[in-house]
Amino acid sequence: MAETKQHLTISEVEEQTGLSAHTLRYYERIGLMAPITKGLRGHRRYDKDDLGWITLIKRLRSTDMSIKEMQHFAELVRQGDATISERRKLLEKHQIELQQKLVDIEETLSLLDHKVTTYRNMEKDSKVKS
Amino acid sequence: MAETKQHLTISEVEEQTGLSAHTLRYYERIGLMAPITKGLRGHRRYDKDDLGWITLIKRLRSTDMSIKEMQHFAELVRQGDATISERRKLLEKHQIELQQKLVDIEETLSLLDHKVTTYRNMEKDSKVKS
DNA sequence: GTACAAGTTAGAGCGTACTCTAAGTCAAAT
DNA sequence: ATTTGACTTAGAGTACGCTCTAACTTGTAC
């Protein structure tokens, strides 16, 4: 089995996730992540769970959940199982926003398709004329 | 036929498009729109073409084309037919970005579906236990 | 022992896209 | 005549999400 390393340095996480070390520290500082365990020389050591969490918040951010909402979500997770239903509602809210965004993008793609086709025809016509 | 008004004031456009008067003036100021014709008292009078353009740039913005790119696009439109193929390329670039975004959103929606289901089960279980 | 690499912190700075303010104009209503 | 309301402008201010800087620490290599 191609076991992945047990612990990763911040630059390894940067490489794996595409989030910069700056951003990783920033997320931790503002409470988007629980404090990462430090090794002997005071360096962060990210474990499998940390990586999983980063993957999740990266997804939420890339789909435009606000930092503020993610902080709220992270706080709920920290509070444990009592907050499950609040967490569910928060994620369901994001689901709805994404479904709307999906529609907007699809409509825009269709508009772009139409425009690009029109442009192509104009390009073709201008060649014929000249 | 329910003919729509020939000319609209800025607040009517605000109402119809959802863009604030502030934003409409801002867009004009930065060159996202050609200068709107002014009526006698110096007020803007938006016509059908203006509305059409606003609809287009609203769509491009809502799907996260940057202001800078939209300024470029607007400038190309102003330059006329010689820029058709550059315009097409610009829109095709946005198409590709939107297709990627679509995938990201779909994947995230599926992740959210899974998480929400898990949460629901945990909520159900905690009811059974208590 | 000193240079280097890879981290650390607190805090400042920056780009983007609005969003708002202040002061003014103008026509219609009172 | 003056008040009201809907606009106008130039320019300042704000929210957000990073992104960078400066000064420092630590372990390893030479």
Side-chain angles (χ1 to χ4, degrees), chain A residues 6-22:
Chain A
Q6 212 79 42
H7 298 282
L8 300 179
T9 67
I10 198 161
S11 57
E12 285 165 340
V13 174
E14 172 165 20
E15 208 175 338
Q16 273 209 20
T17 65
L19 295 177
S20 75
H22 284 307

Side-chain angles (χ1 to χ4, degrees), chain A residues 56 59-60 62-64 73 77 81 84-85 87-88 91-92 94-95 98-99 101-109 111-113 115-116 119-120 122-123, chain B residues 56 59-60 62-64 73 77 81 84-85 87-88 91-92 94-95 98-99 101-109 111-113 115-116 119-120 122-123:
Chain A
L56 173 59
R59 271 234 108 87
L60 296 179
S62 79
T63 56
D64 295 321
F73 182 64
V77 171
D81 286 1
I84 293 284
S85 94
R87 278 188 246 166
R88 176 179 50 78
L91 294 189
E92 280 172 342
H94 194 51
Q95 271 186 318
L98 288 191
Q99 278 151 8
K101 197 169 287 204
L102 210 63
V103 171
D104 189 22
I105 289 176
E106 277 163 355
E107 286 171 0
T108 304
L109 275 173
L111 170 68
L112 289 177
D113 236 50
K115 286 229 161 243
V116 165
Y119 282 156
R120 279 194 193 289
M122 290 173 80
E123 291 174 63
Chain B
L56 172 60
R59 271 233 109 85
L60 295 179
S62 78
T63 56
D64 294 320
F73 182 64
V77 171
D81 285 1
I84 293 284
S85 93
R87 279 188 246 166
R88 174 179 52 76
L91 294 189
E92 281 172 343
H94 193 51
Q95 272 186 317
L98 288 191
Q99 278 150 9
K101 197 169 290 205
L102 210 62
V103 171
D104 189 22
I105 289 177
E106 278 163 353
E107 286 171 0
T108 304
L109 275 173
L111 170 67
L112 289 178
D113 237 49
K115 286 228 161 243
V116 165
Y119 282 155
R120 278 194 194 289
M122 291 172 80
E123 292 175 62

Side-chain angles (χ1 to χ4, degrees), chain A residues 45-57:
Chain A
R45 306 173 82 237
Y46 293 84
D47 65 21
K48 219 163 118 299
D49 286 354
D50 296 326
L51 265 282
W53 179 253
I54 290 168
T55 304
L56 173 59
I57 64 176

Side-chain angles (χ1 to χ4, degrees), chain B residues 32-92:
Chain B
L32 271 195
M33 302 188 212
I36 302 297
T37 309
K38 306 283 180 65
L40 289 174
R41 64 218 82 164
H43 291 190
R44 287 173 179 76
R45 307 173 81 237
Y46 292 85
D47 66 21
K48 216 163 119 299
D49 286 356
D50 296 327
L51 264 281
W53 178 253
I54 290 168
T55 303
L56 172 60
I57 63 177
K58 200 192 155 192
R59 271 233 109 85
L60 295 179
R61 268 306 293 144
S62 78
T63 56
D64 294 320
M65 182 181 285
S66 74
I67 292 280
K68 195 174 268 181
E69 258 193 310
M70 290 175 56
Q71 285 173 317
H72 185 198
F73 182 64
E75 176 58 26
L76 292 175
V77 171
R78 255 173 256 127
Q79 285 171 19
D81 285 1
T83 65
I84 293 284
S85 93
E86 198 178 343
R87 279 188 246 166
R88 174 179 52 76
K89 280 167 201 154
L90 192 153
L91 294 189
E92 281 172 343

